[in-house]
């Protein structure tokens, strides 16, 4: 009898489904052309909006390019109510006029800083942040956020230290020089980054990817080289992952959802010089739910995924909802993508949550 009643209590206590305000993805790579058409529907199925990264080839450096790109994104998600939020790619030559035009456009919501050479398609990025003062001044004035890929490119700096050194050499001086500039420290990976964000005022926030919450750097070397766990910033040691879990689990509004889902064809990942990027858009919200449940913070998921991002950007929260069911789903080994294969995170494995259609 005692066993039976305990079983019933357990059954009631175990969450079987959760309904959330429709979430947004505050850091996403959609690419262009056929790849865009293959991957965009995954995001539109889960998220209402996404901040779309501008690191195309050529990069989206002007409002004119962003106008053309947003049309292609909208065509790729036709028939859905998904809203792409566009970004401009900051260069040494971005003018204050271009920033003004971006702000006026209303559909460009931020400007992305890629230090030149830091990551995928960053060759056109910034060689010295001092060259961007006029643009940054205008962004500060307009309230247009700067989204930061926070890694130094100095080859003398250990790859695992590049985020921390970026804080000391670039981000700290930048926040001092532009005290009113809104900044999102993208895809943070270290306790140093989490602490930095916490120490700053409300104008500095951070996105946290699900892969940096799920894995530490061992995941890149488990039984051999694991190219599908290679991204930038690279996965860090366990104590840093724990700091990220603590940051999101604490329910602090400075930390919000940004997948950094980045599609690369299988053959380009499994190569002698594999590309950086992890594709998570196929099951992003279910993966975050799995992480939040594992740390006993499912009650914090909705604000992280659906409230803190729009609050930071000064945009309205979504009004619709999605429901996740405690129902296992098996992740496919790959998806077709522009005549190639795309290997998603957790390919061939099972996860406990499924988005209700
Ligand atoms: O892993 C990454 N992939 N990090 C980035 O910063 C860029 C992204 C991509 O575009 O593939
Ligand atoms: Zn990214």
């Amino acid at each position: 009898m005692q066993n039976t009643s305990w079983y019933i209590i357990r059954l009631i206590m175990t969450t079987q489904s959760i309904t959330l305000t429709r979430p947004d993805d505050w850091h996403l790579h959609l690419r262009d052309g056929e790849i865009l058409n293959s991957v965009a529907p995954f995001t539109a199925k889960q998220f209402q909006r996404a901040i779309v990264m501008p690191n195309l080839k050529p990069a989206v450096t002007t409002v004119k390019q962003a106008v053309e790109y947003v049309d292609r994104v909208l065509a790729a998600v036709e028939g859905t109510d998904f809203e792409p939020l566009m970004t401009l790619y900051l260069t040494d030559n971005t003018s204050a006029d271009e920033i003004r035009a971006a702000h006026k456009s209303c559909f460009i919501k931020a400007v992305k800083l890629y230090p030149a050479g830091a990551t995928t398609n960053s060759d056109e990025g910034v060689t010295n942040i001092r060259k961007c003062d006029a643009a940054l001044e205008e962004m500060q004035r307009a309230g247009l956020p700067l989204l930061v890929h926070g890694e130094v490119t100095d080859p003398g700096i250990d790859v695992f230290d590049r985020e921390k050194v970026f804080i000391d050499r670039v981000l700290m001086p930048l926040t001092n020089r532009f005290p009113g500039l809104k900044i999102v420290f993208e895809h943070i990976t270290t306790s140093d980054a989490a602490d930095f964000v916490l120490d700053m005022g409300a104008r500095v926030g951070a996105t946290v990817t699900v892969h940096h919450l799920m894995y530490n750097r061992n995941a890149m070397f488990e039984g051999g080289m694991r190219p599908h766990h290679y991204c930038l910033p690279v996965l860090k040691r366990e104590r840093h992952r724990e700091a990220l879990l603590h940051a999101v689990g604490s329910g602090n509004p400075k930390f919000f959802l940004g997948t950094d889902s980045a599609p690369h064809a299988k053959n380009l990942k499994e190569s002698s010089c594999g590309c950086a990027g992890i594709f998570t858009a196929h099951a992003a919200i279910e993966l975050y739910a799995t992480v939040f449940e594992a740390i006993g913070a499912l009650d914090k998921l909705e604000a992280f995924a659906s409230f803190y991002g729009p609050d930071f950007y000064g945009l309205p929260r979504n009004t619709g909802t999605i429901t996740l069911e405690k129902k296992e789903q098996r992740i496919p080994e790959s998806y077709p993508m522009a005549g190639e294969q795309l290997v998603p995170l957790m390919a061939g494995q099972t996860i406990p949550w499924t988005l209700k259609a």
Side-chain angles (χ1 to χ4, degrees), residues 150-151 161-167 185 187-190 193 233:
E151 290 190 287
D161 297 332
R162 287 183 186 174
E163 187 173 87
K164 176 169 171 26
V165 175
F166 184 88
I167 296 170
F185 198 163
H187 42 52
I188 58 167
T189 63
T190 58

Side-chain angles (χ1 to χ4, degrees), residues 27 29 31 55 112 114 119-121 149 187 230-233 260 262-264 276-278:
H27 185 133
H29 296 272
R31 315 295 190 212
N55 63 332
K112 178 73 188 276
Y114 287 104
T119 187
T120 309
N121 299 349
H149 183 108
H187 42 52
Y230 173 57
C231 62
L232 286 170
D260 198 17
H264 291 276
I278 297 180

